[in-house]
Amino acid sequence: MKVKVLSRNPDDYVRETKLDIQRVPRNYDPTLHPFEVPREYTRALNATKLERVFAKPFLASLDGHRDGVNCLAKHTKSLSTLLSGSCDGEVKVWNLSKRECVRTLQAHEGFVRGMVVRFCGTSFFTVGDDKTIKQWKMETPGYGEEEEPLNTILGKTVFTGLDHHQKEGVFATCGQQVDIWDEQRSSPIRSFTWGVDSFSAVRFNPVETELLGSCASDRSIVLYDMRESAPLKKVIMTMRSNTLCWNPMEAYYFTCANEDYNLYTYDMRHLEKPLMVHMDHVSAVLDVDYSPTGQEFVSASFDKTVRIFPRDAGHSREVYHTKRMQHVICIKWSSDSKYILSGSDEMNIRLWKANAAEKLGVLAPREKEAANYSQKLKEKFQNHPQIRRIARHRHLPKSIYHQTKELRVMKDARRRKEMNVRKHSKPGAVPVVSEKEKHVVTVVK
Amino acid sequence: MAGGSDGSGSKSSTEMEREDPEMEREAEDERADEEDERRRVRLVEAISALRGGRKKPLGERSEAAVRMSEFAVTAEGERQKVQLSDLIGGAKDGPAVPTQTRKQLQNLRRSQKTVEQPLSRQESERVQRDLAFQKAAVHVSRWKSVVIQNRKAEQLVFPQNQEPAGPKPLEKVVSGWKAQTPLEQEVFNLLSANKQPIHDPVLTPAEEASLRAMSLEEAQIRRAELQKVRALQSYYEAKARRERKIKSKKYHRVQNKARRREFLKQFEQMVKTDPTGALEELNKMELARMKERMSLKHQNSGKWARAKAVMAKYDQGARRAMQQQLELNKDLTQKVRSALSTQEEQEEDAASEPELLPDFVNDAEPGQVSSNPWMRGELSAEPAEPQRSEQEEAGPAEEEEEEEEKEVDEEEELLREFESRRKLRQEEEQEEPAGEEEEESAEEEEGLSEFRSLFKGVTEGLKEEAAAPANSAPLEEGLMRIRTVEDVELLPPEDTELRPPTEAPQPPPKEEAPPSGKKARKKRKRDIELKEVLTKKAKTVTVPLAPTTTDAADGSDEELDQRGLIMEAFAGDDVVADFLKDKRKQEDAAKPKVVDLTLPGWGEWGGQGLKPSSRKRQRFRVKVAPAEPRKDQRLPAVIISEQRNSSLGAHQVSSLPFPFDSHAQFESTVRTPLGRTWNTERTVKKLTKPKVLTQLGSIIEPMTEEELTKNKEKKVLAEGAGKEDPHKTKRQKRRGRKDGPPKKTRRPTKGRC
């Protein structure tokens, strides 16, 4: 009897090494694949759903402080080190990979208002309510050694904020005025005042390292050049800004966190009108920090949520909250752009993923490719209603959900009223003011 | 100056004396100073008098002061302002004053302007701030290009100032590296001693030195020449590399053959012109031959050859490849005979006949060929087979011993088989056209019309036969191209539907064809070779379906059984008929219907047994316009439904999304597939590149100034690309000049105003 067998040459289908790509005989002629769009759509839908399934952003909570966490500082050279200062004057140094506190020191009496690590990572500065600036060693003191600051500077007034220069031994503080200090001297090398009684934050520009920005209590944002004797310019807004943060990749953009629930991104050359108004919070925004890639920023709010905004989007792409997290006072984006750290009122520091559904750790090449492909699919079909609905859905605490609704109603009512007024008045008497222009009162030269 | 201060000091001292004892002491000191001064003046006067130059003493003034000073003169009218004219008055006429100054003074007197009051502190601060801001804004704007570039970039990789992972250029490696081992040192010494370039400059030091020695024009010419030579060299190198990379075996084979032919031609010339060189070449060839004889290469005994031998039965290409290998072997093992070599050989033979082996040892001789075919590079003759069979009969022990030989024999047999088959086929092919020609010549009188009609009739018969089983067979069977679309269209649809499924399974047309052909041939004996036509037709249909079948009789039996089995299994299912019925139903449903709007009893009597009048019926019958032709009208195996699916609406985009301008644009982006199912690997990689790429566990530093300079360099490169070097440098210089100083000059001007 004759047995028919298929015979094939193994050369046609066996890989030479296991690292080779599997050879798949395939005809790419598009006429042979009439259903490519529906198939990709299905894949995109599945990818979107899986993204929501795997979105587990919360990684860890670091507890140990005995009062609310008031300030955070990233280590400039080590990714796993975090510093936090609390409202009782205690500073803690954390090891993030072990998720434990490695060092505690009583830095000030009263609040630790500001904290910053020197650019070399060997020491850090703190300012407190006790009118002092202290410089501390980053190393833990040896056995028997006392925890003492390297330097202490006694100021005349309370310092409320602190930032260090990117490359030189110069730092800036703010309080009644903005002071620039040399590390070697006990008096400021320069003081800036402009008829304001108190500042809440000061930040060096990380790219144009001689520029500074500060937020003042007269609802203004003031810009300085360290080399000049006078401030540069100031913009007065409708409400007070709490902090600002410069974009680390684009020298002239900064974003400020405002009391009116919004964030504003400005071009420092054109302060008359913000580039973008970022809305979504339902209470005052307390802190903001840019991703080191400069593509996104994260904001902390009094409404107990953390939100992530794309640099050029008006609304957030992500909102993080937990049941136990109270008002978020301070926020930092880690310097490898993968994590977010938030310090809140209820004495905890929380570690979040920057991309909620991202798989952490080392990925196999195939995993990477698959992730890239699904990401592109999601982008490609992002405008399709089902996919958009699933991708945008977030669970919110009831209070925030309702408050969002309420705010929307209020906003609509205001707009309606304005429209009605315009309709019943002389043409041109009630001009249309855009949302961006609404929040700037004046620019003072 | 000192005198002036003294005068005022003396006045004030008299006033202050009463008040302060300390001041009193000071006044006394001053008085002593005055005394000293007076003495000094007297001394100077005495000395000048000694010289006898100017005897006229200074005019005395009748004022209280000891020594007069021009500044201490009190004006005549006190409290009066000093006018400019008062001061200038004296200077006007004096010869010592130059005319230019005088003119200036006159101008001054004429102009009535006063200097403005200085700005208030607030105002001046504001100006300062404004200036500082403008300066900062201009300074910051230099990042604009970087920012825009990053925003437009397809992919951003962080951290930015990372060193590339790939191999570095030689210069970078060499600059931070020293020769350590003795070998390295030796190499470096050699290089430096010969003044060879280490860092890959344009010219070696020796070349540069020679250039320096020449005049400018010569140097330019020489330089151009060198450049040309270099360009040519690199061109040839590139060409050679490109050719080496060509994977086509055929190309290389042709190249090799051409090269060999060329070489042979040259060789013959060389024999005449350069006998020593020719001898060397000959030796080389001899060496190659020896190597070939030693190795098993090109003898079809390797893994590749074995694999090919398996495939050879079915693949003509494999057979040919094996044959070519053998031929190559033959070519290489053949001894090259040329005039030179023969001469030498003769000489050698003459010189040392007893010592050397006779030449025929290396030659392939007819006597030895039968025992060792590989020596000759040809297949052994037919009689080899009986020999082998004899060996097999002789005993298994011998077989085991000469296993290799047997393998070789087997392959050989295979090859021989192929060859014989090929010969047969060639013969057939040769015969066929000959036969046709004969027929054509015989049939010329009758003409082609008859042939056509006959052929048509036969094909129609075939179609009808093919259509009948297609109805009864399963759907897949219908797609076997036995019945084409045209055939189906030829048939009236009612017929296909009404035709009852045939009971007995019909064999495929392939089997049917020959008998029908026979019949046809019986009918018209000498007209045309019908068998020829029909068998050919049948072949084209069946070959792709059953490539492995060799024996027609066996295959048909098995197929019949299979078909019967399938028919039995799906006895009740008449899928094709069902499908057609379904389609018909759909077509009917889609057809526009006549709407009858007649209402019985409206306008006339109604009731049982009464019908509306025909006039009325005609009037109230609304005819609808005929529907457009269906899309599946010409697709017999497809039903296309054009009804709107409401469940799909939820998945469709209702309005044009933001960044798109037109529907076509958006649709085209959606239509482009991204996955590897539809794209090549490289395309997929390119399409799915993430926008931002970060590295796990590495700190991303803020933008640095380096990035700015890098960007500038890039720009310069991009602008100067494709231009010659001198131009580029010139332009760079020019730009540098433009960019550098004007900024500096611009800023101070702003500062001034």
Side-chain angles (χ1 to χ4, degrees):
Chain A
M1 190 197 156
K2 195 170 183 181
V3 180
K4 287 185 193 167
V5 196
L6 276 178
S7 89
R8 292 193 291 168
N9 187 0
D11 289 350
D12 291 340
Y13 56 88
V14 175
R15 295 185 289 180
E16 280 184 8
T17 69
K18 69 168 189 177
L19 296 174
D20 281 355
I21 307 157
Q22 285 283 12
R23 194 186 292 172
V24 187
R26 184 159 283 156
N27 193 342
Y28 295 116
D29 183 6
T31 53
L32 298 178
H33 304 285
F35 291 113
E36 49 196 14
V37 178
R39 282 175 77 186
E40 288 222 314
Y41 176 75
T42 316
R43 284 180 198 180
L45 197 61
N46 287 341
T48 316
K49 285 175 183 172
L50 283 179
E51 192 207 331
R52 292 331 299 157
V53 168
F54 290 121
K56 304 248 180 283
F58 180 67
L59 289 178
S61 168
L62 310 173
D63 55 340
H65 273 298
R66 285 170 290 183
D67 208 335
V69 181
N70 198 42
C71 55
L72 287 175
K74 288 184 275 189
H75 194 285
T76 43
K77 297 290 170 196
S78 156
L79 275 178
S80 60
T81 312
L82 174 79
L83 291 90
S84 64
S86 74
C87 296
D88 58 355
E90 208 175 48
V91 169
K92 275 179 183 287
V93 182
W94 304 88
N95 185 335
L96 288 178
S97 48
K98 287 182 187 167
R99 292 166 190 181
E100 62 182 23
C101 175
V102 289
R103 183 183 170 195
T104 309
L105 49 106
Q106 187 65 36
H108 295 279
E109 287 168 28
F111 283 47
V112 181
R113 287 289 178 185
M115 186 158 49
V116 68
V117 179
R118 199 170 184 274
F119 59 92
C120 61
T122 52
S123 63
F124 62 94
F125 296 84
T126 56
V127 291
D129 269 355
D130 53 359
K131 303 182 187 175
T132 54
I133 307 167
K134 288 180 180 173
Q135 185 182 8
W136 306 83
K137 253 192 188 172
M138 190 57 83
E139 286 170 22
T140 316
Y143 180 75
E145 278 180 63
E146 255 190 58
E147 192 84 78
E148 271 189 341
L150 285 173
N151 281 321
T152 307
I153 299 169
L154 276 168
K156 284 171 193 154
T157 54
V158 175
F159 298 107
T160 51
L162 174 74
D163 198 17
H164 200 281
H165 193 273
Q166 201 69 26
K167 292 165 199 158
E168 292 163 20
V170 173
F171 63 92
T173 59
C174 64
Q176 303 285 325
Q177 66 207 24
V178 170
D179 292 325
I180 311 288
W181 302 77
D182 193 324
E183 280 177 7
Q184 309 300 324
R185 299 191 193 181
S186 59
S187 58
I189 52 173
R190 188 148 287 165
S191 294
F192 296 108
T193 48
W194 192 351
V196 192
D197 52 353
S198 127
F199 290 88
S200 58
V202 64
R203 285 286 181 95
F204 268 104
N205 187 332
V207 188
E208 272 304 327
T209 49
E210 314 299 320
L211 296 177
L212 297 112
S214 70
C215 299
S217 61
D218 69 339
R219 303 167 296 153
S220 68
I221 298 165
V222 193
L223 300 180
Y224 309 92
D225 189 336
M226 215 175 78
R227 298 159 293 194
E228 305 285 344
S229 57
L232 299 180
K233 215 174 205 183
K234 108 172 145 181
V235 55
I236 298 177
M237 303 181 70
T238 47
M239 286 188 92
R240 187 165 66 94
S241 295
N242 284 314
T243 40
L244 64 86
C245 185
W246 294 89
N247 191 325
M249 288 295 150
E250 297 172 354
Y252 38 78
Y253 294 134
F254 65 86
T255 301
C256 64
N258 205 289
E259 285 278 325
D260 63 0
Y261 312 173
N262 296 336
L263 293 115
Y264 301 93
T265 300
Y266 278 99
D267 184 338
M268 70 158 272
R269 299 166 299 175
H270 311 290
L271 291 174
E272 297 78 24
K273 189 173 141 187
L275 285 176
M276 186 61 78
V277 183
H278 310 274
M279 304 189 215
D280 265 355
H281 279 297
V282 293
S283 188
V285 191
L286 298 181
D287 200 4
V288 60
D289 193 31
Y290 260 96
S291 149
T293 60
Q295 305 293 310
E296 290 175 323
F297 60 83
V298 61
S299 64
S301 168
F302 199 74
D303 63 10
K304 307 175 189 175
T305 60
V306 170
R307 280 182 189 268
I308 301 173
F309 293 84
R311 173 196 61 194
D312 46 8
H315 289 275
S316 60
R317 74 155 172 83
E318 194 68 79
V319 54
Y320 293 160
H321 57 85
T322 64
K323 236 177 201 175
R324 297 181 181 190
M325 187 162 72
Q326 295 304 307
H327 315 304
V328 193
I329 309 283
C330 47
I331 195 106
K332 287 278 178 235
W333 200 309
S334 77
S335 5
D336 61 348
S337 86
K338 297 267 187 215
Y339 304 98
I340 285 165
L341 295 142
S342 68
S344 45
D345 241 3
E346 87 308 329
M347 307 180 272
N348 282 321
I349 299 161
R350 288 189 170 76
L351 181 65
W352 310 83
K353 285 196 267 186
N355 286 319
E358 195 184 29
K359 194 184 171 194
L360 293 177
V362 181
L363 294 184
R366 290 178 62 190
E367 272 180 307
K368 241 183 241 171
E369 276 167 25
N372 289 346
Y373 177 47
S374 59
Q375 184 58 38
K376 280 287 161 182
L377 279 182
K378 276 181 259 168
E379 272 169 33
K380 181 180 163 186
F381 290 101
Q382 65 187 351
N383 297 309
H384 288 68
Q386 287 296 307
I387 289 179
R388 195 174 54 211
R389 184 182 63 81
I390 295 165
R392 281 182 56 202
H393 180 80
R394 296 285 181 283
H395 171 72
L396 278 178
K398 209 182 210 172
S399 62
I400 295 172
Y401 181 74
H402 285 305
Q403 198 153 7
T404 315
K405 256 191 187 169
E406 206 178 303
L407 283 173
R408 197 181 304 138
V409 169
M410 285 160 72
K411 201 178 160 190
D412 285 348
R414 263 187 225 122
R415 191 195 295 135
R416 204 165 46 240
K417 179 166 187 182
E418 201 187 298
M419 271 164 60
N420 289 339
V421 168
R422 191 173 299 127
K423 209 185 284 171
H424 294 99
S425 54
K426 213 162 70 180
V430 184
V432 182
V433 184
S434 71
E435 185 68 34
K436 287 174 187 174
E437 286 165 333
K438 241 179 235 175
H439 304 279
V440 176
V441 178
T442 48
V443 176
V444 187
K445 282 184 180 175
Chain B
M1 290 284 279
S5 64
D6 282 353
S8 62
S10 62
K11 265 185 199 169
S12 63
S13 66
T14 48
E15 285 167 16
M16 305 281 266
E17 260 175 1
R18 287 157 247 159
E19 294 165 20
D20 217 336
E22 276 183 21
M23 293 303 278
E24 201 178 297
R25 218 173 298 142
E26 270 182 21
E28 274 177 12
D29 286 353
E30 275 180 10
R31 252 173 255 147
D33 281 353
E34 276 175 15
E35 193 69 29
D36 286 348
E37 185 68 15
R38 216 179 300 148
R39 272 184 209 151
R40 192 184 65 79
V41 169
R42 217 179 290 153
L43 182 67
V44 169
E45 275 174 7
I47 289 165
S48 61
L50 272 176
R51 264 165 64 190
R54 194 174 58 160
K55 290 197 175 167
K56 202 173 138 192
L58 283 168
E60 290 266 334
R61 297 231 177 142
S62 57
E63 254 132 339
V66 181
R67 222 200 87 195
M68 285 305 300
S69 165
E70 50 196 332
F71 297 110
V73 175
T74 48
E76 283 167 44
E78 249 179 292
R79 303 279 173 192
Q80 245 181 2
K81 271 188 178 174
V82 178
Q83 296 293 319
L84 184 63
S85 56
D86 296 339
L87 297 174
I88 299 168
K92 210 162 138 189
D93 310 318
V97 184
T99 49
Q100 206 181 346
T101 320
R102 234 177 284 160
K103 265 184 191 172
Q104 278 177 344
L105 286 172
Q106 269 177 350
N107 285 341
L108 252 178
R109 204 182 307 155
R110 251 178 251 143
S111 66
Q112 296 296 318
K113 275 181 193 169
T114 52
V115 179
E116 277 176 37
Q117 221 178 2
L119 287 175
S120 68
R121 214 191 82 217
Q122 284 81 5
E123 281 287 300
S124 68
E125 270 181 3
R126 194 186 154 173
V127 170
Q128 263 187 346
R129 280 197 301 260
D130 204 20
L131 280 176
F133 173 76
Q134 276 169 12
K135 207 165 131 188
V138 168
H139 192 59
V140 151
S141 295
R142 70 201 166 117
W143 292 96
K144 199 174 171 186
S145 60
V146 178
V147 169
I148 289 171
Q149 199 183 319
N150 281 354
R151 289 209 168 177
K152 282 182 183 170
E154 270 183 29
Q155 189 176 40
L156 288 171
V157 183
F158 295 105
Q160 285 194 319
N161 43 8
Q162 244 182 343
E163 285 194 358
K168 290 171 198 167
L170 190 66
E171 301 96 80
K172 276 193 181 173
V173 180
V174 168
S175 61
W177 179 80
K178 274 184 180 179
Q180 287 171 334
T181 63
L183 177 68
E184 285 167 359
Q185 277 167 354
E186 209 170 300
V187 169
F188 261 72
N189 284 337
L190 264 175
L191 282 178
S192 55
N194 294 336
K195 292 184 177 174
Q196 284 296 314
I198 299 169
H199 302 307
D200 192 25
V202 181
L203 297 172
T204 61
E207 283 169 337
E208 273 177 355
S210 69
L211 271 183
R212 239 176 278 133
M214 281 186 268
S215 73
L216 186 66
E217 280 173 24
E218 268 180 29
Q220 275 174 347
I221 293 163
R222 172 90 182 118
R223 194 184 138 101
E225 268 175 19
L226 280 173
Q227 274 179 347
K228 198 177 176 186
V229 166
R230 267 171 205 284
L232 273 177
Q233 193 184 346
S234 69
Y235 166 71
Y236 280 120
E237 272 174 10
K239 193 183 172 192
R241 213 175 297 134
R242 204 169 54 235
E243 278 175 0
R244 226 182 303 135
K245 266 196 182 168
I246 291 173
K247 278 182 180 167
S248 163
K249 281 182 181 167
K250 195 175 175 187
Y251 170 80
H252 283 290
R253 221 177 289 138
V254 170
Q255 285 292 89
N256 279 335
K257 215 174 251 179
R259 222 174 287 145
R260 224 177 294 150
R261 220 174 293 140
E262 190 90 326
F263 171 72
L264 277 175
K265 253 186 217 168
Q266 281 182 355
F267 183 71
E268 272 164 24
Q269 276 190 345
M270 259 176 112
V271 169
K272 287 166 195 165
T273 55
D274 182 17
T276 51
L279 199 64
E280 266 178 36
E281 289 298 323
L282 200 69
N283 283 340
K284 259 186 213 167
M285 280 159 78
E286 191 64 21
L287 197 72
R289 181 173 161 265
M290 275 155 75
K291 269 187 188 165
E292 178 62 25
R293 277 159 56 77
M294 279 199 295
S295 75
L296 284 173
K297 220 174 170 186
H298 308 129
Q299 300 206 354
N300 284 351
S301 58
K303 201 174 171 185
W304 172 83
R306 255 180 277 147
K308 280 284 170 194
V310 172
M311 299 302 293
K313 202 173 179 184
Y314 313 106
D315 189 2
Q316 212 170 9
R319 256 176 278 151
R320 206 182 299 132
M322 289 178 76
Q323 199 61 36
Q324 269 163 359
Q325 290 280 310
L326 290 178
E327 271 168 21
L328 191 68
N329 183 35
K330 191 184 153 194
D331 278 0
L332 281 168
T333 45
Q334 240 170 12
K335 191 150 194 186
V336 184
R337 285 186 173 278
S338 67
L340 196 82
S341 64
T342 45
Q343 271 178 26
E344 279 189 359
E345 268 171 25
Q346 279 168 9
E347 281 170 14
E348 276 179 27
D349 284 351
S352 57
E353 231 178 330
E355 287 169 23
L356 285 171
L357 278 166
D359 209 44
F360 63 77
V361 172
N362 286 342
D363 280 353
E365 285 188 26
Q368 290 171 336
V369 161
S370 57
S371 62
N372 190 356
W374 303 112
M375 295 301 287
R376 208 181 53 171
E378 271 181 5
L379 289 177
S380 52
E382 300 293 312
E385 207 176 4
Q387 271 182 19
R388 199 184 62 84
S389 59
E390 275 169 25
Q391 274 178 3
E392 274 183 330
E393 282 166 9
E398 213 177 313
E399 261 183 36
E400 279 172 12
E401 278 176 8
E402 301 177 31
E403 226 173 33
E404 273 185 48
E405 220 174 290
K406 191 194 149 192
E407 265 182 33
V408 167
D409 279 348
E410 273 174 3
E411 281 172 14
E412 195 189 314
E413 190 195 12
L414 211 69
L415 283 172
R416 210 176 299 120
E417 207 177 88
F418 296 151
E419 210 161 37
S420 62
R421 270 194 204 175
R422 206 188 317 139
K423 269 180 196 166
L424 270 174
R425 197 170 302 145
Q426 277 172 355
E427 278 167 16
E428 274 174 16
E429 279 172 6
Q430 277 173 354
E431 275 173 17
E432 274 171 12
E436 273 176 6
E437 271 173 22
E438 278 173 21
E439 277 153 24
E440 268 178 29
S441 62
E443 241 188 341
E444 263 179 339
E445 311 108 299
E446 300 210 7
L448 279 165
S449 59
E450 259 188 330
F451 168 75
R452 268 184 206 140
S453 63
L454 185 75
F455 187 66
K456 203 179 175 185
V458 168
T459 47
E460 269 174 7
L462 248 179
K463 275 171 200 162
E464 274 171 6
E465 274 161 358
N471 262 349
S472 57
L475 200 61
E476 273 186 43
E477 207 81 352
L479 293 173
M480 277 201 313
R481 301 264 168 90
I482 289 169
R483 189 178 68 162
T484 59
V485 177
E486 288 86 1
D487 303 344
V488 174
E489 273 172 2
L490 281 173
L491 298 172
E494 281 82 8
D495 270 16
T496 48
E497 210 181 22
L498 294 174
R499 189 176 294 229
T502 43
E503 300 275 324
Q506 297 266 347
K510 181 183 73 183
E511 278 83 41
E512 282 284 281
S516 67
K518 269 176 196 168
K519 278 174 200 166
R521 200 161 60 163
K522 271 174 193 170
K523 277 174 190 167
R524 310 192 173 201
K525 276 184 180 174
R526 288 298 302 163
D527 289 350
I528 197 167
E529 279 251 12
L530 270 180
K531 191 185 175 187
E532 190 82 14
V533 177
L534 292 178
T535 45
K536 273 204 169 170
K537 187 77 183 170
K539 248 183 201 170
T540 52
V541 173
T542 48
V543 162
L545 298 177
T548 49
T549 46
T550 47
D551 295 306
D554 289 5
S556 71
D557 275 0
E558 275 175 36
E559 225 166 89
L560 212 98
D561 288 351
Q562 203 106 41
R563 209 164 264 230
L565 270 174
I566 289 169
M567 290 305 294
E568 245 177 61
F570 297 99
D573 292 3
D574 189 0
V575 187
V576 172
D578 282 353
F579 178 79
L580 288 172
K581 220 179 272 174
D582 217 26
K583 188 173 177 181
R584 174 55 55 83
K585 212 184 275 174
Q586 293 237 356
E587 276 171 2
D588 287 344
K591 264 179 196 163
K593 277 158 201 154
V594 176
V595 185
D596 195 0
L597 292 173
T598 46
L599 287 172
W602 189 262
E604 58 190 9
W605 286 107
Q608 242 177 4
L610 278 174
K611 279 184 183 174
S613 66
S614 62
R615 217 184 92 248
K616 197 182 170 191
R617 255 186 291 163
Q618 260 182 2
R619 200 182 156 196
F620 284 102
R621 261 183 148 183
V622 179
K623 274 183 187 171
V624 187
E628 283 182 18
R630 286 178 67 87
K631 277 183 180 169
D632 54 8
Q633 201 178 22
R634 289 175 179 280
L635 302 169
V638 182
I639 299 173
I640 298 175
S641 167
E642 286 179 66
Q643 281 175 334
R644 192 174 181 280
N645 191 347
S646 59
S647 64
L648 272 178
H651 294 272
Q652 283 168 336
V653 182
S654 54
S655 60
L656 192 65
F658 159 58
F660 298 100
D661 293 330
S662 66
H663 286 277
Q665 210 181 5
F666 175 64
E667 275 162 18
S668 75
T669 54
V670 168
R671 222 181 298 125
T672 336
L674 302 172
R676 62 186 71 248
T677 326
W678 306 283
N679 291 310
T680 57
E681 196 68 21
R682 186 169 291 181
T683 320
V684 171
K685 277 244 170 82
K686 208 173 139 196
L687 285 173
T688 61
K689 223 162 57 167
K691 180 84 175 50
V692 177
L693 202 66
T694 55
Q695 209 181 2
L696 196 70
S698 63
I699 292 176
I700 301 166
E701 296 286 347
M703 184 80 76
T704 51
E705 299 266 336
E706 291 161 26
E707 211 63 29
L708 202 62
T709 52
K710 224 191 279 174
N711 190 47
K712 266 184 189 169
E713 277 169 23
K714 254 189 222 167
K715 256 192 173 176
V716 167
L717 276 178
E719 277 173 24
K723 302 282 175 185
E724 279 179 48
D725 285 20
H727 285 279
K728 197 202 278 178
T729 50
K730 263 182 202 170
R731 200 184 284 174
Q732 271 177 333
K733 274 175 199 166
R734 234 178 286 146
R735 194 176 301 116
R737 249 178 261 143
K738 265 182 200 168
D739 286 352
K743 266 186 190 170
K744 275 181 192 170
T745 51
R746 222 177 292 143
R747 255 183 233 161
T749 51
K750 269 182 190 169
R752 249 175 259 148
C753 59

